[in-house]
Amino acid sequence: MIITLTGFMGCGKSSVGRRLSKLLYCSFVDLDDYIVERAGKSVADIFTEVGEKGFRIFECQCLRELLESHVEGDFVIALGGGAVTTPECARLIREHAVCVYLTASEQTLQKRLSGDTKRPLLQGESLEDRIHRLMEQRAGIYASVADFSVATDELTPMGVAHEIFKVIN
């Protein structure tokens, strides 16, 4: 089974994914890390060079590679916060994986993302406004792609991993 974790930046996809893969005794890949490895440059640099649209195209290619290379056995992928906003990525996830939406309140996300300067989509307006605007755009998409969701606000990453483990086993 391939399990993908989706949700907004700061909801814990990578931290939870690492722990969930240990519970399942399987491999884990952070899609953003895979993209950086394949491109040989940071996500921020890719955004600067080709913009969000170009990044999303490359992100989808990388997701397809991961899904095609792990057709047998268990595997956990932490998706980038915007991956499911690309219709092709959403389709691939629906067809090839179980998708878990990790939720967090805007207040929790503000605390977790405060001081983060590496995420291109958080640059510009105030963090509070940026999170609010992007969450309005994305929450429905996350929910539509996901098979189920887990609220992360009051749980540790291992607690979230255990909640997912209970649902899938």
Side-chain angles (χ1 to χ4, degrees):
M1 171 186 323
I2 298 173
I3 300 164
T4 59
L5 304 176
T6 194
F8 200 78
M9 306 169 242
C11 70
K13 298 178 299 289
S14 299
S15 298
V16 170
R18 283 185 198 85
R19 287 157 180 85
L20 181 60
S21 69
K22 287 184 170 124
L23 289 175
L24 295 171
Y25 299 99
C26 69
S27 299
F28 167 74
V29 172
D30 181 296
L31 182 57
D32 283 345
D33 290 346
Y34 184 79
I35 290 167
V36 167
E37 182 181 309
R38 285 267 287 107
K41 57 187 86 169
S42 71
V43 169
D45 287 343
I46 298 168
F47 262 77
T48 299
E49 290 177 17
V50 297
E52 184 175 2
K53 184 176 180 179
F55 174 80
R56 297 290 173 216
I57 291 168
F58 187 60
E59 180 180 50
C60 196
Q61 291 169 348
C62 289
L63 176 61
R64 186 178 296 107
E65 288 173 14
L66 287 172
L67 293 171
E68 289 173 356
S69 67
H70 290 86
V71 292
E72 294 183 23
D74 291 336
F75 186 56
V76 177
I77 304 172
L79 300 170
V84 297
T85 65
T86 305
E88 178 63 10
C89 283
R91 183 190 65 75
L92 288 168
I93 292 161
R94 281 189 198 103
E95 289 179 4
H96 301 286
V98 171
C99 186
V100 183
Y101 174 19
L102 303 184
T103 67
S105 70
E106 289 183 26
Q107 294 77 19
T108 296
L109 294 171
Q110 287 172 34
K111 288 177 194 170
R112 291 179 183 173
L113 296 168
S114 178
D116 188 323
T117 59
K118 295 181 181 177
R119 299 174 196 256
L121 290 179
L122 292 182
Q123 307 311 309
E125 63 198 298
S126 77
L127 180 62
E128 181 180 347
D129 290 344
R130 193 69 170 162
I131 289 171
H132 180 74
R133 190 165 54 73
L134 286 170
M135 281 297 291
E136 278 189 333
Q137 294 170 359
R138 293 179 175 182
I141 297 169
Y142 294 142
S144 72
V145 176
D147 294 289
F148 64 97
S149 65
V150 177
T152 67
D153 297 272
E154 303 297 325
L155 296 172
T156 65
M158 185 54 89
V160 175
H162 278 289
E163 290 298 312
I164 296 168
F165 186 81
K166 285 191 278 188
V167 171
I168 63 173
N169 277 324

